[in-house]
Amino acid sequence: MLISPVDIPLLETQDISHFINGIRLREILTSNQGKTIPSDFYVLNHENFYVIYTSGSTGSPKGVQISYNNLMSFINWMKNDFGLLNHQVFLNQAPFSFDLSVMDIYPCLFLGGSLWMLPKEYIAAPKELFLSLEKSSANVWVSTPSFVDFCLSDDRFSASMLPGLTTFLFCGEALPNTTTVKIRERFPKAVIFNTYGPTECTVAATSIRIDDSLIGKHESLPIGFSKKDGKVYILSETLEEMSNGEKGEIVITGPHVSKGYLNQPELTRKSFFLFNGETAYKTGDLGYMKDGLLFYAGRLDFQVKVNGYRMELEEIEAHLCSLTLVKNAIIVPNYKNEKCEFLTAVVVTRQHEFQKEFQLTAQLKKGLRGILPQYMIPRKFVYRAFLPTTNNGKIDRKKVANEVTT
Ligand code: AMP
């Protein structure tokens, strides 16, 4: 089936008033009802269907190009392997700039479902959030584990609030064992899927149903198996396949792998290459196989996730160091239960006239606000006269991290 703008009327948004341009959208939907679009306007084959920007270590974001074929491979997988039905209500929590939203928008469109959109402001307003969830009649839950953890912190979040909820789909960050235990208690009839993948491989490339036999069996939950039309390899630095249990970089091939970054051939060459005759993407994730299952084991670089948002610490550092008040700075992730909860900026300043640290911090945050999205701005700022270095002259990140996180 072809995706085209004529499919848009299938998207029934009950809470349409929450769109910033809600009235305009309603107009567009009504005025296009029943119209057909000439086929020369269709996006097809290797043409870009969407471009989503992700944080880049060089200081500027990278535009991941996702083609029609990439997206179709993803949608077909969603339709066939997750027990989704026609006309279900899908929950949308992720903003459209985060490719997790693709996991609810497109399967929902293709299955003639409805999308229940949670406005961003509700995240800080649990009363409105729970009222909206109660009204949603949602069947399919799509979110980061962080978001469901937030909901689970309130006892009301259970099958009595969402009696029709049959499926939980998670992606974007590690799914803790403890989260799945709570979901099983509160939603005993629902099934849980852990999916894994980067934006460069069209949302997700592996999945596994988390049933009771898996919960608590391993230190961390598995990320499962590759989609049937793709492959996942664990490779060494010299691109040799690692044996069972050995850690290596997760490399993905298949029709869901992007053609690369928009107008960034050098960055594309760094992460995309030919492997066994197919386009392969080097994820920068460490992983290993055990008992025939794939496990995620952290990052090889300075990429972190906060509340599911992906960011390169080096991008934040580059922007912080570009501010006139800053001589040098590094960003330290603060972890709790293996999850990055927030970022701390450790800053060496140039001479300035601020009397108090909070004034300086306010000024630096203001400077960053003009160049970075809010979720990338460090929560905490600490100040140092200098940053310690290792024997080979690099900033001793471990030492600084130990100082500011303990
Ligand atoms: P994004 O491109 O924003 O979707 O982020 C992709 C990155 O998120 C991956 O490369 C992983 O580092 C991390 N990630 C995604 N899904 C999972 C998962 N199920 N478990 C652990 N990490 C994940």
Side-chain angles (χ1 to χ4, degrees), residues 107-254:
C108 170
L109 273 173
F110 265 71
L111 294 164
S114 307
L115 196 66
W116 186 271
M117 303 172 70
L118 291 172
K120 202 168 94 192
E121 311 80 69
Y122 284 9
I123 312 297
K127 196 171 154 220
E128 280 80 5
L129 171 67
F130 286 129
L131 276 177
S132 176
L133 286 176
E134 231 160 13
K135 277 201 296 180
S136 72
S137 311
N139 307 115
V140 184
W141 178 282
V142 180
S143 84
T144 57
S146 292
F147 182 69
V148 88
D149 274 340
F150 172 74
C151 295
L152 285 164
S153 63
D154 191 312
D155 290 342
R156 285 174 298 167
F157 182 69
S158 66
S160 20
M161 173 183 279
L162 288 155
L165 197 58
T166 56
T167 314
F168 282 91
L169 300 177
F170 294 113
C171 193
E173 57 185 350
L175 177 64
N177 270 300
T178 47
T179 306
T180 54
V181 170
K182 284 188 197 155
I183 296 175
R184 294 293 297 134
E185 278 166 16
R186 310 257 192 104
F187 298 88
K189 291 195 182 135
V191 293
I192 307 170
F193 287 96
N194 187 17
T195 74
Y196 154 88
T199 305
E200 288 83 344
C201 299
T202 321
V203 192
T206 75
S207 74
I208 185 162
R209 184 175 158 179
I210 305 294
D211 55 26
D212 290 342
S213 67
L214 275 175
I215 298 175
K217 185 170 173 201
H218 307 273
E219 205 180 311
S220 58
L221 286 166
I223 52 175
F225 317 92
S226 172
K227 288 163 77 221
K228 286 189 200 85
D229 60 358
K231 281 204 177 103
V232 172
Y233 300 91
I234 305 290
L235 300 185
S236 68
E237 269 180 49
T238 51
L239 305 184
E240 270 136 47
E241 282 193 57
M242 308 299 283
S243 41
N244 206 32
E246 274 185 338
K247 283 184 189 161
E249 182 167 8
I250 302 178
V251 171
I252 299 171
T253 64

Side-chain angles (χ1 to χ4, degrees), residues 2-6 35-45 47 68:
L2 217 53
I3 311 175
S4 82
V6 284
K35 280 192 190 156
T36 47
I37 306 289
S39 55
D40 354 343
F41 287 98
Y42 290 172
V43 175
L44 286 174
N45 305 322
E47 289 170 349
Y68 169 84

Side-chain angles (χ1 to χ4, degrees), residues 28-71:
I28 295 169
L29 295 181
T30 321
S31 62
N32 280 297
Q33 202 86 40
K35 280 192 190 156
T36 47
I37 306 289
S39 55
D40 354 343
F41 287 98
Y42 290 172
V43 175
L44 286 174
N45 305 322
H46 294 292
E47 289 170 349
N48 282 350
F49 200 89
Y50 64 77
V51 175
I52 283 190
Y53 280 82
T54 69
S55 174
S57 57
T58 54
S60 43
K62 303 176 281 194
V64 181
Q65 305 176 84
I66 297 299
S67 69
Y68 169 84
N69 285 350
N70 293 152
L71 184 60

Side-chain angles (χ1 to χ4, degrees), residues 98-99 172-174 194-199 285 296 299 305 310:
F98 178 12
D99 83 333
E173 57 185 350
N194 187 17
T195 74
Y196 154 88
T199 305
D285 289 324
Y296 168 84
R299 288 290 303 173
K305 285 264 170 151
R310 163 175 161 180

